[in-house]
Amino acid sequence: MISRNRFGIVYLLGLAFLACSFVIRTVLFVKAGPGIDPTPLLVLKVFGTGLFYDVVTFSYLAAPLSLYLTVVPDRLFNTRWHRAVLQFALFAALFVLLFDAVAEYFFFDEFGTRFNFIAIDYLVY
């Protein structure tokens, strides 16, 4: 599953992160439809700003993995158990990503907004 390309997992996670973010943004935009006037400028602003924030967020999240993949020796990188660990990490990251998307949908349904400080208060109390 993990290719011989060292950074294939980072590219795959980036693509999955951006796709999932785009889908949840689109679903929430449509769900909020009756309360907004979807002008072309608003749509461009929502999706353009969202893409910018998604790229920045993924950059912060991918930096430690990219640094690790840069410094790990080829001898270790090509072992079977290392690939298994990377596959498990990929599965865990995709699971968290999808779980977050579903949780954000239900949070939006309940509170009418995307995740914010209310989510933290809700989890703490």
Side-chain angles (χ1 to χ4, degrees):
M1 172 118 180
I2 302 294
S3 69
R4 297 276 181 209
N5 180 355
R6 243 176 221 274
F7 298 101
I9 191 171
V10 177
Y11 300 141
L12 183 61
L13 282 174
L15 182 63
F17 183 85
L18 293 177
C20 190
S21 296
F22 176 78
V23 168
I24 193 68
R25 183 171 288 106
T26 303
V27 167
L28 295 181
F29 189 76
V30 170
K31 190 169 178 63
I36 59 172
D37 182 27
T39 63
L41 185 61
L42 177 64
V43 172
L44 182 65
K45 181 180 176 184
V46 166
F47 286 96
T49 305
L51 177 63
F52 173 75
Y53 281 116
D54 291 341
V55 168
V56 170
T57 301
F58 182 72
S59 297
Y60 280 113
L61 295 174
L65 177 60
S66 297
L67 181 62
Y68 170 74
L69 291 173
T70 300
V71 299
V72 68
D74 285 335
R75 186 177 44 127
L76 177 61
F77 181 77
N78 292 321
T79 61
R80 175 177 265 164
W81 71 269
H82 188 264
R83 292 200 178 284
V85 169
L86 285 179
Q87 286 179 351
F88 177 76
L90 176 63
F91 173 77
L94 292 176
F95 177 81
V96 168
L97 186 63
L98 292 175
F99 182 85
D100 179 63
V102 171
E104 189 155 5
Y105 175 81
F106 286 112
F107 185 87
F108 186 85
D109 198 35
E110 179 73 22
F111 297 106
T113 185
R114 294 193 77 172
F115 280 151
N116 55 20
F117 70 93
I118 295 172
I120 304 301
D121 288 343
Y122 186 79
L123 290 174
V124 168
Y125 300 107

